[in-house]
PDB file of all heavy atoms in Angstrom:
ATOM      1  N   LEU A 241    -134.997  -6.112 -35.590  1.00 82.00           N
ATOM      2  CA  LEU A 241    -135.725  -4.777 -35.911  1.00 82.00           C
ATOM      3  C   LEU A 241    -135.636  -4.429 -37.394  1.00 82.00           C
ATOM      4  O   LEU A 241    -136.533  -3.808 -37.967  1.00 82.00           O
ATOM      5  CB  LEU A 241    -135.196  -3.674 -34.983  1.00 82.00           C
ATOM      6  CG  LEU A 241    -135.337  -3.858 -33.523  1.00 82.00           C
ATOM      7  CD1 LEU A 241    -134.757  -2.693 -32.826  1.00 82.00           C
ATOM      8  CD2 LEU A 241    -136.846  -3.963 -33.188  1.00 82.00           C
ATOM      9  N   GLY A 242    -134.542  -4.831 -38.017  1.00 74.00           N
ATOM     10  CA  GLY A 242    -134.442  -4.469 -39.385  1.00 74.00           C
ATOM     11  C   GLY A 242    -133.874  -3.085 -39.700  1.00 74.00           C
ATOM     12  O   GLY A 242    -133.603  -2.327 -38.778  1.00 74.00           O
ATOM     13  N   PRO A 244    -134.453   0.250 -42.694  1.00 79.00           N
ATOM     14  CA  PRO A 244    -134.424   1.249 -41.623  1.00 79.00           C
ATOM     15  C   PRO A 244    -135.522   0.962 -40.553  1.00 79.00           C
ATOM     16  O   PRO A 244    -136.482   0.233 -40.848  1.00 79.00           O
ATOM     17  CB  PRO A 244    -134.720   2.562 -42.287  1.00 79.00           C
ATOM     18  CG  PRO A 244    -135.514   2.144 -43.472  1.00 79.00           C
ATOM     19  CD  PRO A 244    -135.039   0.808 -43.889  1.00 79.00           C
ATOM     20  N   MET A 245    -135.355   1.497 -39.308  1.00 81.00           N
ATOM     21  CA  MET A 245    -136.451   1.256 -38.342  1.00 81.00           C
ATOM     22  C   MET A 245    -137.496   2.275 -38.338  1.00 81.00           C
ATOM     23  O   MET A 245    -137.237   3.450 -38.622  1.00 81.00           O
ATOM     24  CB  MET A 245    -135.662   1.343 -36.887  1.00 81.00           C
ATOM     25  CG  MET A 245    -134.663   0.287 -36.634  1.00 81.00           C
ATOM     26  SD  MET A 245    -134.039   0.334 -34.950  1.00 81.00           S
ATOM     27  CE  MET A 245    -133.133   1.929 -34.983  1.00 81.00           C
ATOM     28  N   THR A 246    -138.723   1.809 -38.043  1.00 85.00           N
ATOM     29  CA  THR A 246    -139.856   2.601 -37.956  1.00 85.00           C
ATOM     30  C   THR A 246    -139.912   3.320 -36.576  1.00 85.00           C
ATOM     31  O   THR A 246    -138.965   3.044 -35.739  1.00 85.00           O
ATOM     32  CB  THR A 246    -141.137   1.849 -38.148  1.00 85.00           C
ATOM     33  OG1 THR A 246    -141.216   0.811 -37.208  1.00 85.00           O
ATOM     34  CG2 THR A 246    -141.107   1.070 -39.548  1.00 85.00           C
ATOM     35  N   LEU A 247    -140.947   4.167 -36.344  1.00 87.00           N
ATOM     36  CA  LEU A 247    -141.029   4.951 -35.090  1.00 87.00           C
ATOM     37  C   LEU A 247    -141.190   3.881 -33.884  1.00 87.00           C
ATOM     38  O   LEU A 247    -140.469   4.001 -32.866  1.00 87.00           O
ATOM     39  CB  LEU A 247    -142.146   5.866 -35.139  1.00 87.00           C
ATOM     40  CG  LEU A 247    -142.253   6.707 -33.851  1.00 87.00           C
ATOM     41  CD1 LEU A 247    -141.020   7.608 -33.665  1.00 87.00           C
ATOM     42  CD2 LEU A 247    -143.486   7.707 -34.032  1.00 87.00           C
ATOM     43  N   SER A 248    -142.112   2.954 -34.077  1.00 88.00           N
ATOM     44  CA  SER A 248    -142.247   1.987 -33.006  1.00 88.00           C
ATOM     45  C   SER A 248    -141.063   1.128 -32.734  1.00 88.00           C
ATOM     46  O   SER A 248    -140.671   0.724 -31.630  1.00 88.00           O
ATOM     47  CB  SER A 248    -143.447   1.065 -33.332  1.00 88.00           C
ATOM     48  OG  SER A 248    -143.159   0.375 -34.528  1.00 88.00           O
ATOM     49  N   GLU A 249    -140.277   0.784 -33.799  1.00 86.00           N
ATOM     50  CA  GLU A 249    -139.037  -0.014 -33.727  1.00 86.00           C
ATOM     51  C   GLU A 249    -138.022   0.833 -33.039  1.00 86.00           C
ATOM     52  O   GLU A 249    -137.189   0.205 -32.258  1.00 86.00           O
ATOM     53  CB  GLU A 249    -138.599  -0.479 -35.017  1.00 86.00           C
ATOM     54  CG  GLU A 249    -139.515  -1.591 -35.737  1.00 86.00           C
ATOM     55  CD  GLU A 249    -139.061  -1.936 -37.092  1.00 86.00           C
ATOM     56  OE1 GLU A 249    -138.229  -1.191 -37.696  1.00 86.00           O
ATOM     57  OE2 GLU A 249    -139.519  -3.026 -37.593  1.00 86.00           O
ATOM     58  N   GLN A 250    -137.989   2.081 -33.300  1.00 87.00           N
ATOM     59  CA  GLN A 250    -137.004   2.930 -32.518  1.00 87.00           C
ATOM     60  C   GLN A 250    -137.246   3.035 -31.088  1.00 87.00           C
ATOM     61  O   GLN A 250    -136.342   2.935 -30.244  1.00 87.00           O
ATOM     62  CB  GLN A 250    -137.023   4.391 -33.141  1.00 87.00           C
ATOM     63  CG  GLN A 250    -136.454   4.463 -34.610  1.00 87.00           C
ATOM     64  CD  GLN A 250    -136.512   5.798 -35.092  1.00 87.00           C
ATOM     65  OE1 GLN A 250    -137.010   6.702 -34.425  1.00 87.00           O
ATOM     66  NE2 GLN A 250    -136.070   6.032 -36.313  1.00 87.00           N
ATOM     67  N   LYS A 251    -138.575   3.126 -30.629  1.00 90.00           N
ATOM     68  CA  LYS A 251    -138.942   3.023 -29.280  1.00 90.00           C
ATOM     69  C   LYS A 251    -138.600   1.704 -28.673  1.00 90.00           C
ATOM     70  O   LYS A 251    -137.978   1.625 -27.567  1.00 90.00           O
ATOM     71  CB  LYS A 251    -140.340   3.271 -29.089  1.00 90.00           C
ATOM     72  CG  LYS A 251    -140.803   4.663 -29.409  1.00 90.00           C
ATOM     73  CD  LYS A 251    -142.334   4.844 -29.300  1.00 90.00           C
ATOM     74  CE  LYS A 251    -142.829   6.230 -29.590  1.00 90.00           C
ATOM     75  NZ  LYS A 251    -144.310   6.456 -29.405  1.00 90.00           N
ATOM     76  N   GLN A 252    -138.753   0.748 -29.418  1.00 90.00           N
ATOM     77  CA  GLN A 252    -138.414  -0.719 -28.852  1.00 90.00           C
ATOM     78  C   GLN A 252    -136.875  -0.796 -28.717  1.00 90.00           C
ATOM     79  O   GLN A 252    -136.335  -1.362 -27.775  1.00 90.00           O
ATOM     80  CB  GLN A 252    -138.886  -1.798 -29.890  1.00 90.00           C
ATOM     81  CG  GLN A 252    -138.691  -3.155 -29.292  1.00 90.00           C
ATOM     82  CD  GLN A 252    -139.241  -4.173 -30.222  1.00 90.00           C
ATOM     83  OE1 GLN A 252    -139.892  -3.880 -31.265  1.00 90.00           O
ATOM     84  NE2 GLN A 252    -139.154  -5.499 -29.900  1.00 90.00           N
ATOM     85  N   TRP A 253    -136.139  -0.193 -29.726  1.00 88.00           N
ATOM     86  CA  TRP A 253    -134.672  -0.227 -29.638  1.00 88.00           C
ATOM     87  C   TRP A 253    -134.248   0.598 -28.392  1.00 88.00           C
ATOM     88  O   TRP A 253    -133.260   0.242 -27.724  1.00 88.00           O
ATOM     89  CB  TRP A 253    -134.062   0.324 -30.835  1.00 88.00           C
ATOM     90  CG  TRP A 253    -132.655   0.496 -30.857  1.00 88.00           C
ATOM     91  CD1 TRP A 253    -131.949   1.678 -30.897  1.00 88.00           C
ATOM     92  CD2 TRP A 253    -131.632  -0.489 -30.810  1.00 88.00           C
ATOM     93  NE1 TRP A 253    -130.578   1.435 -30.779  1.00 88.00           N
ATOM     94  CE2 TRP A 253    -130.387   0.096 -30.676  1.00 88.00           C
ATOM     95  CE3 TRP A 253    -131.604  -1.831 -30.725  1.00 88.00           C
ATOM     96  CZ2 TRP A 253    -129.150  -0.546 -30.632  1.00 88.00           C
ATOM     97  CZ3 TRP A 253    -130.418  -2.616 -30.578  1.00 88.00           C
ATOM     98  CH2 TRP A 253    -129.216  -1.941 -30.616  1.00 88.00           C
ATOM     99  N   GLY A 254    -134.915   1.759 -28.033  1.00 90.00           N
ATOM    100  CA  GLY A 254    -134.515   2.503 -26.852  1.00 90.00           C
ATOM    101  C   GLY A 254    -134.735   1.705 -25.540  1.00 90.00           C
ATOM    102  O   GLY A 254    -133.912   1.775 -24.699  1.00 90.00           O
ATOM    103  N   ARG A 255    -135.840   0.917 -25.447  1.00 91.00           N
ATOM    104  CA  ARG A 255    -136.055   0.142 -24.266  1.00 91.00           C
ATOM    105  C   ARG A 255    -135.054  -1.008 -24.178  1.00 91.00           C
ATOM    106  O   ARG A 255    -134.529  -1.365 -23.098  1.00 91.00           O
ATOM    107  CB  ARG A 255    -137.463  -0.524 -24.310  1.00 91.00           C
ATOM    108  CG  ARG A 255    -138.589   0.522 -24.194  1.00 91.00           C
ATOM    109  CD  ARG A 255    -139.857  -0.219 -23.850  1.00 91.00           C
ATOM    110  NE  ARG A 255    -140.285  -1.053 -25.098  1.00 91.00           N
ATOM    111  CZ  ARG A 255    -141.120  -0.593 -26.009  1.00 91.00           C
ATOM    112  NH1 ARG A 255    -141.532   0.669 -25.990  1.00 91.00           N
ATOM    113  NH2 ARG A 255    -141.448  -1.346 -27.077  1.00 91.00           N
TER     114      ARG A 255
END
Side-chain angles (χ1 to χ4, degrees):
L241 296 177
M245 292 186 294
T246 62
L247 184 60
S248 61
E249 289 177 346
Q250 290 179 1
K251 292 181 179 180
Q252 186 178 357
W253 172 249
R255 291 193 295 269

